[in-house]
Amino acid sequence: MSSEPFTLLDGKQLAQEIYDTLTHKIQQIQPQVGRPPGLAVLMVGDNPASAAYVRNKERACDRVGIASFGHHFPANVSQAELTAVIHQLNQDERVDGILVQLPLPPHLDAEALLYEIVPEKDADGLHPMNLGRLVRKEPGLRSCTPAGVMRLLQHYNLPVEGKQAVVIGRSILVGKPLALMLLDANATVTIAHSRSSDLKAIARSADILVAAVGQPNLVQADMVKPGAVVIDVGINRIEDATGKARLIGDVDFDAVKAIASHITPVPGGVGAMTVAMLLENTLGSYCRALLPEAQSIIQ
Ligand code: NAD
């Protein structure tokens, strides 16, 4: 047992458990299908953070037995070329999931590219059709980061129903879909953002406080209700005086852990869960497309 007054929500550990489960399921299903699940990852340019994320995703695919198809394009690739590749991948029978690693260089329209992915292969759950299904509470591929947050809460048996949840950040990638998922789980949800007045008071009302902003140490101890569950989605790369880079979240972890009942670390929290949810989505698409009778295995 930890002697700390708070519980660490260990996304890295939970992701490993999910990988073990996925490995087992793929071993069960693959002989019937005759090929492994496949995930295509499109990356543009040489952004080191994106390259690291893509490497992580490919490594995770290898670990569970998903074939990954990397497509790396130069930074000056055209919208038309990327669109053509997405159309090919939509037709490619070895590919169950397609994701475009964001952000893209400014000359490319990421939103338009997401529209080109067939919703059934939208492993990131960002296609308007899948976001619409989330709004309507219909089954569909869910955005990975918010789904990872919900899975962490569920795994640690943290009640959501009837709780006050505050999500700081309203992006289509994280804040909005997460607010909808919390709402579907019967939380009373507030979304705070850059124009919210008195962020501190809003944050302090939260039983479940999520920070998804991209601002190092935005959430300080005086913004947290004692005993709250604090989820840090932020990933910020900062350099120390020697030029060495490290990742920190949006929450001042050392200060807030003294107040919170549960808290995610960065790294090793939500980021790890995002990758696990991506692989789950890919397996889900593989089964739905090829093996309707395997639905019970993927539940
Ligand atoms: P974004 O820039 O699209 O959105 C940021 C949001 O924060 C906006 O809605 C804005 O209104 C709000 N905001 C900005 N300044 C604010 C302030 N001072 N007070 C309150 N709200 C403020 O970013 P995003 O794509 O949603 O990502 C947010 C963070 O989460 C980033 O650090 C990103 O790297 C990280 N992220 C992590 C994962 C993961 O897997 N852990 C996945 C996606 C994004």
Side-chain angles (χ1 to χ4, degrees):
M1 277 295 275
S2 156
S3 58
E4 303 276 13
F6 66 92
T7 300
L8 194 72
L9 301 175
D10 190 340
K12 193 170 173 192
Q13 168 69 33
L14 177 55
Q16 296 301 322
E17 289 173 26
I18 293 170
Y19 292 157
D20 290 342
T21 307
L22 291 177
T23 306
H24 179 69
K25 287 177 179 174
I26 292 169
Q27 282 167 355
Q28 271 183 290
I29 300 170
Q30 188 175 325
Q32 300 171 56
V33 174
R35 66 158 179 88
L39 175 67
V41 180
L42 278 63
M43 181 179 152
V44 178
D46 292 309
N47 176 331
S50 293
Y53 292 140
V54 168
R55 264 196 312 277
N56 273 345
K57 289 169 186 174
E58 290 177 344
R59 240 184 256 134
C61 283
D62 280 351
R63 187 182 177 311
V64 304
I66 292 177
S68 59
F69 302 97
H71 294 258
H72 190 177
F73 302 91
N76 64 357
V77 65
S78 71
Q79 184 89 10
E81 271 175 87
L82 286 173
T83 304
V85 172
I86 290 174
H87 288 169
Q88 278 167 17
L89 293 169
N90 284 341
Q91 302 296 326
D92 190 331
E93 290 182 354
R94 300 164 306 160
V95 172
D96 303 286
I98 303 169
L99 84 85
V100 178
Q101 183 64 44
L102 303 175
L104 294 175
H107 71 281
L108 294 169
D109 180 348
E111 187 121 338
L113 288 174
L114 294 178
Y115 270 83
E116 299 299 332
I117 299 173
V118 287
E120 296 71 27
K121 293 192 179 186
D122 168 37
D124 255 343
L126 297 176
H127 189 285
M129 179 74 88
N130 285 316
L131 290 170
R133 287 172 176 152
L134 170 63
V135 174
R136 295 182 62 89
K137 217 178 162 182
E138 292 172 3
L141 290 162
R142 297 292 191 244
S143 330
C144 299
T145 302
V149 171
M150 297 307 291
R151 183 66 73 83
L152 260 180
L153 294 172
Q154 192 188 20
H155 177 78
Y156 282 90
N157 289 320
L158 294 168
V160 175
E161 180 160 326
K163 299 293 177 189
Q164 297 286 340
V166 172
V167 179
I168 313 178
R170 56 177 162 183
S171 73
I172 197 71
L173 190 61
V174 189
K176 275 186 203 166
L178 180 57
L180 286 165
M181 289 180 198
L182 288 162
L183 189 63
D184 284 347
N186 295 322
T188 303
V189 183
T190 303
I191 306 180
H193 48 79
S194 53
R195 308 287 178 90
S196 295
S197 54
D198 206 353
L199 182 64
K200 191 197 281 190
I202 298 169
R204 268 190 80 89
S205 71
D207 303 309
I208 300 169
L209 178 62
V210 183
V213 174
Q215 205 165 298
N217 296 333
L218 172 78
V219 175
Q220 291 294 323
D222 64 357
M223 295 169 69
V224 177
K225 184 201 264 190
V229 174
V230 178
I231 307 280
D232 192 351
V233 178
I235 300 180
N236 306 290
R237 188 176 288 260
I238 58 158
E239 282 186 12
D240 65 18
T242 67
K244 203 168 155 243
R246 67 188 176 99
L247 299 181
I248 65 167
D250 289 348
V251 175
D252 184 344
F253 182 88
D254 288 329
V256 170
K257 71 180 187 189
I259 315 277
S261 64
H262 297 76
I263 185 168
T264 57
V266 177
V270 176
M273 292 301 298
T274 299
V275 182
M277 296 298 99
L278 173 72
L279 303 195
E280 263 200 11
N281 275 349
T282 305
L283 180 61
S285 293
Y286 169 79
C287 290
R288 270 186 290 279
L290 298 162
L291 213 57
E293 65 276 19
Q295 292 307 306
S296 61
I297 302 175
I298 57 163
Q299 295 299 308

